């Protein structure tokens, strides 16, 4: 779970340094990692009963 | 307009920053440690912040609002999932409520508001760009005609069903067509 926090921090650092393409790249990497974690944490069966 | 948008973006970025610091303070001082979905929402808020920071650092561009919109959609998906996890009656929810709502519910509202904000800014800030009318090509004309036709068909069927006033909530059918 630390990986998206790391990549998003690198994106902010790149932004601070004025590297726009790097920011977009690291943001995109964060989004992909985010989706992977969503698939891991949001696909278990819900404990619902009606 | 661009100056106003920059100031608005700064205000929104401040709100996102305050929300992240607040969640962090709840974790540290109230010892309420975040769940995986809570952490993902923090990531999504940070990704939103990157879109806003891109505007402040490199100038206001539609692409940067695309970053905000996609990040907000990602956050809304997770926050919405967490709201639904605790939606059953009797479920206490995760963590302590703040102003009557749990933090993930506030997060869902915030992500929704960020989407609305991006839509409004895209409408207002770039209203004068690409304003030249273009002629339809053949395929475009076909799709546009099909689109216009279904819009017209929906208007006619709704008039048949509801007339010119409010729809009835107890019986459904084309009352104007077959009374």
């Amino acid at each position: 779970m630390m990986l998206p926090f790391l990549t998003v921090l690198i994106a902010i650092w790149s932004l601070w340094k004025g590297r726009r393409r790097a920011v977009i790249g690291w943001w995109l990497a964060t989004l992909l990692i985010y989706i992977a974690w969503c698939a891991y944490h949001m696909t278990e069966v819900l404990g619902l009963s009606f | 307009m661009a100056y106003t948008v920059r100031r608005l973006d700064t205000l929104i970025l401040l709100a996102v920053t305050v929300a992240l610091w607040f969640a962090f303070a709840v974790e540290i001082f109230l010892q309420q440690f975040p769940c995986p979905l809570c952490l993902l929402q923090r990531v999504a808020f940070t990704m939103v912040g990157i879109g806003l920071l891109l505007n402040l650092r490199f100038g206001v561009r539609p692409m940067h609002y695309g970053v905000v919109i996609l990040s907000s959609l990602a956050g809304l998906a997770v926050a919405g999932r967490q709201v639904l996890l605790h939606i059953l009656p009797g479920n206490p929810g995760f963590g302590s409520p703040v102003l009557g709502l749990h933090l993930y519910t506030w997060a869902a509202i915030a992500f929704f508001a960020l989407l609305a904000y991006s839509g409004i800014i895209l409408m207002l800030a770039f209203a004068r760009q690409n304003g030249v009318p273009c002629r339809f090509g053949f395929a475009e004309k076909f799709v546009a005609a099909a689109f216009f036709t279904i819009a017209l068909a929906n208007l006619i069927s709704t008039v048949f069903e509801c007339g010119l006033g409010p729809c009835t909530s107890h019986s459904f059918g084309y009352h104007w067509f077959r009374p």
Side-chain angles (χ1 to χ4, degrees):
Chain A
M1 186 57 88
M2 51 72 66
L3 199 55
F5 286 98
L6 176 67
T7 52
V8 89
L9 196 64
I10 296 173
I12 297 172
W13 176 251
S14 305
L15 194 142
W16 206 273
K17 290 288 179 185
R19 301 184 191 122
R20 184 171 176 274
R21 292 184 69 166
V23 178
I24 300 295
W26 283 111
W27 173 83
L28 206 57
T30 310
L31 187 66
L32 293 175
I33 297 164
Y34 187 94
I35 290 168
W37 275 122
C38 281
Y40 182 81
H41 281 297
M42 290 171 55
T43 49
E44 71 268 27
V45 177
L46 294 180
L48 302 179
S49 61
F50 296 99
Chain B
M1 189 68 194
Y3 180 67
T4 309
V5 170
R6 272 181 71 92
R7 284 202 295 188
L8 282 173
D9 281 347
T10 310
L11 271 176
I12 299 295
L13 181 62
L14 177 66
V16 167
T17 308
V18 168
L20 283 169
W21 273 110
F22 181 80
F24 193 69
V26 167
E27 176 182 338
I28 297 298
F29 296 113
L30 301 182
Q31 296 284 300
Q32 291 185 10
F33 296 104
C35 59
L37 295 183
C38 311
L39 288 171
L40 282 173
Q41 288 161 63
R42 291 187 191 186
V43 172
F45 272 122
T46 315
M47 287 160 67
V48 165
I50 285 177
L52 297 167
L53 268 177
L54 278 166
N55 274 337
L56 300 182
R57 186 78 167 86
F58 301 104
V60 177
R61 295 188 202 180
M63 185 190 181
H64 301 160
Y65 286 107
V67 169
V68 175
I69 288 170
L70 287 176
S71 305
S72 300
L73 280 174
L76 188 58
V78 173
R81 159 86 175 186
Q82 198 168 5
V83 169
L84 293 176
L85 279 175
H86 302 291
I87 203 167
L88 284 181
N91 190 311
F94 185 85
S96 304
V98 176
L99 299 174
L101 298 175
H102 286 89
L103 289 182
Y104 47 82
T105 310
W106 282 119
I109 294 169
F111 286 125
F112 191 83
L114 283 162
L115 287 171
Y117 169 77
S118 302
I120 291 168
I121 293 295
L122 283 171
M123 283 173 67
L124 297 181
F126 305 98
R128 297 187 181 198
Q129 292 183 7
N130 301 321
V132 183
C134 301
R135 286 192 170 278
F136 287 138
F138 176 75
E140 294 163 351
K141 194 178 282 185
F142 176 77
V143 174
F147 182 67
F148 178 79
T149 309
I150 187 60
L152 183 66
N154 277 324
L155 168 67
I156 293 168
S157 68
T158 306
V159 169
F160 280 159
E161 185 175 356
C162 305
L164 302 178
C167 292
T168 56
S169 56
H170 53 277
S171 70
F172 304 105
Y174 292 141
H175 300 303
W176 266 33
F177 195 57
R178 288 190 294 265

